[in-house]
Amino acid sequence: ARFAAPEVAALPGNTPLVAQGVPLYTREAATSGEAGTPPGVPVPATNRQLVMKSKRSRTPTRLAALPKCPTGIRGLDEITGGGLPRGRPTLVCGGAGCGKTLLAAEFLMRGAVQFNEPGVLMAFEETEAELKANVASLGFDLAGLVKQKKMVVDYVHIERTEVQEVGDYDLEGLFVRLNYAIDSIGAKRVVLDTLEVLFASLPNEAI
């Protein structure tokens, strides 16, 4: 019996071929034959025979790693893959007393001590004296860092009962105050503690 081989484009060796809409063939398969198939008859390429080579194939692009800002806190940098995202805001959530303020304060103080990155802590709930007493339990001298111009603690007193809303307003004044604190020491790290207290104290829900 004779086998009529379909027309196969003559391509260089190891280049995938397509014959009359049949799936890919290799040149070796089209010329050497398989068991039970006369030479010259294309056979479907097996995993062993098929060699995928194409000028269009590209090596997958490896995504650039997100720059991280190390916190210096043992364990936290390991589970976050190097720290917090650098140049981006990070929101820390949790119930009252879970340690948000201490975490934020330690992030700033370790940044100033270990990485020479000055920090600003704008507090809306605890005063500077209260913060100094609280972080002393972590072994940090907050007052000393403030004197060395490595830290700025700015307590902003906001009491809803003392706020009288008159006309339109925004937070531009607060941002000016924050920018002044940042520029005064060239701060690289900034903490607002806490946004909940800030927004809860303002009657204007649009803000």
Side-chain angles (χ1 to χ4, degrees):
R2 293 186 177 182
F3 294 85
E7 296 181 1
V8 180
L11 299 176
N14 293 336
T15 303
L17 309 178
V18 176
Q20 297 181 345
V22 181
L24 291 174
Y25 295 85
T26 60
R27 183 176 178 83
E28 290 81 359
T31 56
S32 62
E34 287 264 330
T37 304
V41 178
V43 295
T46 63
N47 292 336
R48 175 179 56 82
Q49 295 170 324
L50 183 58
V51 179
M52 298 297 294
K53 291 186 178 180
S54 173
K55 293 182 179 179
R56 295 182 180 180
S57 62
R58 298 178 181 177
T59 303
T61 303
R62 181 174 297 178
L63 298 178
L66 184 66
K68 293 298 186 71
C69 176
T71 66
I73 301 175
R74 182 178 299 176
L76 182 58
D77 287 341
E78 285 75 11
I79 65 176
T80 55
L84 304 180
R86 183 176 292 276
R88 301 187 181 191
T90 298
L91 180 63
V92 179
C93 302
C98 70
K100 299 186 298 295
T101 299
L102 285 179
L103 173 66
E106 187 172 359
F107 166 72
L108 291 178
M109 291 182 293
R110 289 193 181 278
V113 174
Q114 297 179 212
F115 306 104
N116 194 30
E117 295 184 352
V120 170
L121 173 57
M122 179 168 280
F124 304 104
E125 189 171 22
E126 298 183 54
T127 65
E128 182 174 351
E130 291 172 337
L131 288 169
K132 289 177 180 178
N134 290 338
V135 300
S137 62
L138 300 176
F140 288 102
D141 181 12
L142 181 56
L145 293 175
V146 172
K147 290 181 180 179
Q148 298 172 32
K149 303 295 183 182
K150 291 186 176 182
M151 282 276 298
V152 168
V153 179
D154 188 4
Y155 171 61
V156 181
H157 176 70
I158 300 180
E159 178 59 48
R160 184 161 187 170
T161 58
E162 300 175 3
V163 175
Q164 183 65 41
E165 184 176 1
V166 179
D168 296 332
Y169 64 92
D170 54 27
L171 299 178
E172 184 64 27
L174 183 66
F175 295 146
V176 171
R177 182 167 174 171
L178 180 60
N179 285 331
Y180 175 78
I182 294 173
D183 293 339
S184 66
I185 61 171
K188 301 296 183 182
R189 304 185 179 203
V190 179
V191 167
L192 303 180
D193 182 40
T194 68
L195 293 178
E196 181 182 4
V197 173
L198 170 63
F199 293 132
S201 303
L202 301 176
N204 188 351
E205 296 181 357
I207 296 181

